[in-house]
Amino acid sequence: MDKHLPAGAKAPAVPRSPLSPPRVTDYDNGISAIDADYLRPGLAAIHLIVEGGKAALVDTGTSSSVAGVMEVLRIKDLDAGDVAYVFVTHIHLDHAGGAGEFMHRFPHAKLVVHPRGARHMADPARLVASATTVYGEAEFKRMYGVIRPVEANRIIEAPDGFNLDFNGRPLLFLDTPGHARHHYCIFDRQSQSFFTGDTFGLSYREFDVEGMEFVFPTTTPVQFDPAAAHTSLDRIMSYDPAYAFLTHYGRISHLPHHAVEMHDLIDAHVAIARRLRNVPERHTALTEELGELLLQRIIAHGCKLTQEEIRNLLSLDVGLNAQGLEHWLDQASEGR
Ligand SMILES: [Zn+2]
């Protein structure tokens, strides 16, 4: 048993390793990344922003992630009543699966969600049904537990350009489709940072080489839109941010470099998908080629992990990226 695991927190299926980021990473400007304990250490973060004794959380992990968040609040001399906002960058369940439970535990919080996601937070039946089709009922329960609805009067919709005053700290919400059409990113002027959910891709700390990160896109089903993904990246970069906080995982810098790489890797994913559109065993072929593309890029980046370690860290995302690209290919007139 991990001695750092707070009481009541569910242990992730994979134990922490020396390569995993710590359970809590504190940055400046009152920002921390808390491990959501989702599937493996260092996979999904919940970001905490503290401003003048009030707290806001960016993404929620799943219902069982709340125990770890409560423990971190206690350490920071905050209690459940101090949580003013729960922000969900989009409503995929690794980001918003815990929203109902979080709102139940944090009685003064408002939930801020993209207008396209709001009704699914108030009535999660469709979210639950579609995830249950993918995973089956038992696996769904194991991964996500029970998904509570959120009272409609506690939900704030954040359309493009929405400004929110978080205890005197201005936050700007931008509509950022590409990964999902119900996705926003948050610009925090105080830290000159964006909270990007999945719009700026994924970057696991295990792939860091002397402080330089490796970032790659997520093309998961069912709303991947490469043109929108490019536009959203450019829109984020137009604010000249110093940092991005990624749900998967934590803070990255060197954003101009990563933006170029992201544009290139989105195009590379799309090119592979188009080329393999009509091959037999398409899913297997796509998974192999996407895995090889990222493996070679990570080796070129200077990563010293073994190929097996790299492949293990990538396998979940490569499978999901292949599925999302297939869905994109199969939509009428898409991907031609
Ligand atoms: Zn995600």
Side-chain angles (χ1 to χ4, degrees):
M1 171 112 189
D2 184 336
K3 65 183 161 52
H4 299 295
L5 205 65
K10 195 182 76 176
V14 180
R16 304 197 89 74
S17 81
L19 293 171
S20 313
R23 289 205 78 255
V24 184
T25 309
D26 290 322
Y27 307 101
D28 46 15
N29 287 292
I31 301 170
S32 305
I34 304 168
D35 201 313
D37 290 332
Y38 177 67
L39 301 182
R40 74 164 187 253
L43 180 69
I46 296 164
H47 285 102
L48 167 70
I49 315 172
V50 177
E51 182 60 42
K54 295 289 177 200
L57 296 160
V58 185
D59 287 335
T60 67
T62 70
S63 302
S64 57
S65 305
V66 76
V69 173
M70 305 274 276
E71 177 64 19
V72 172
L73 292 175
R74 264 195 293 279
I75 291 165
K76 295 185 182 295
D77 278 330
L78 294 162
D79 64 44
D82 296 323
V83 178
Y85 293 104
V86 174
F87 304 131
V88 287
T89 57
H90 61 301
I91 63 167
H92 287 165
L93 289 176
D94 51 329
H95 299 255
E101 186 63 30
F102 277 49
M103 295 300 286
H104 178 68
R105 301 286 191 103
F106 304 131
H108 300 150
K110 298 278 190 196
L111 179 74
V112 182
V113 58
H114 190 285
R116 288 179 186 273
R119 70 193 169 97
H120 299 293
M121 294 285 92
D123 177 9
R126 241 183 74 188
L127 275 184
V128 172
S130 72
T132 306
T133 344
V134 176
Y135 297 109
E137 193 149 350
E139 184 65 2
F140 175 85
K141 279 248 153 61
R142 190 188 71 78
M143 289 172 76
Y144 300 112
V146 174
I147 308 238
R148 290 172 180 265
V150 178
E151 302 95 305
N153 63 1
R154 297 179 66 196
I155 297 176
I156 297 173
E157 295 187 16
D160 187 47
F162 179 73
N163 283 289
L164 187 137
D165 179 333
F166 166 43
N167 210 21
R169 182 164 174 168
L171 300 175
L172 168 66
F173 291 71
L174 298 184
D175 177 28
T176 55
H179 174 74
R181 285 196 293 268
H182 41 81
H183 201 306
Y184 64 55
C185 291
I186 308 168
F187 183 56
D188 171 33
R189 203 187 308 150
Q190 180 171 317
S191 63
Q192 284 295 309
S193 302
F194 265 97
F195 294 88
T196 55
D198 289 349
T199 301
F200 210 93
L202 315 174
S203 178
Y204 298 122
R205 299 284 56 80
E206 291 89 336
F207 296 142
D208 286 356
V209 178
E210 290 165 13
M212 179 54 94
E213 310 90 352
F214 178 78
V215 182
F216 65 104
T218 159
T219 66
T220 50
V222 291
Q223 296 180 338
F224 172 61
D225 175 347
H230 285 299
T231 305
S232 291
L233 268 179
D234 287 339
R235 197 147 177 236
I236 289 169
M237 292 309 294
S238 74
Y239 288 76
D240 196 21
Y243 302 105
F245 291 91
L246 280 52
T247 303
H248 316 280
Y249 184 103
R251 189 175 81 173
I252 61 167
S253 49
H254 316 100
L255 299 190
H257 168 83
H258 296 313
V260 170
E261 292 288 303
M262 277 286 289
H263 282 304
D264 181 60
L265 277 171
I266 291 167
D267 289 342
H269 277 63
V270 165
I272 289 172
R274 285 192 170 128
R275 184 157 48 75
L276 298 180
R277 164 195 289 279
N278 293 316
V279 303
E281 311 275 348
R282 185 177 67 178
H283 182 74
T284 309
L286 256 175
T287 305
E288 276 172 16
E289 285 224 19
L290 295 175
E292 193 59 26
L293 167 74
L294 294 176
L295 174 70
Q296 293 310 328
R297 294 287 181 103
I298 290 167
I299 291 170
H301 163 68
C303 181
K304 295 288 183 278
L305 300 180
T306 65
Q307 294 204 8
E308 193 193 351
E309 286 170 322
I310 296 172
R311 285 187 190 279
N312 283 341
L313 286 163
L314 290 173
S315 67
L316 175 73
D317 297 303
V318 166
L320 288 169
N321 279 2
Q323 276 179 38
L325 289 166
E326 292 198 89
H327 186 273
W328 170 73
L329 283 172
D330 290 341
Q331 285 174 305
S333 81
E334 288 287 3
R336 286 171 206 275

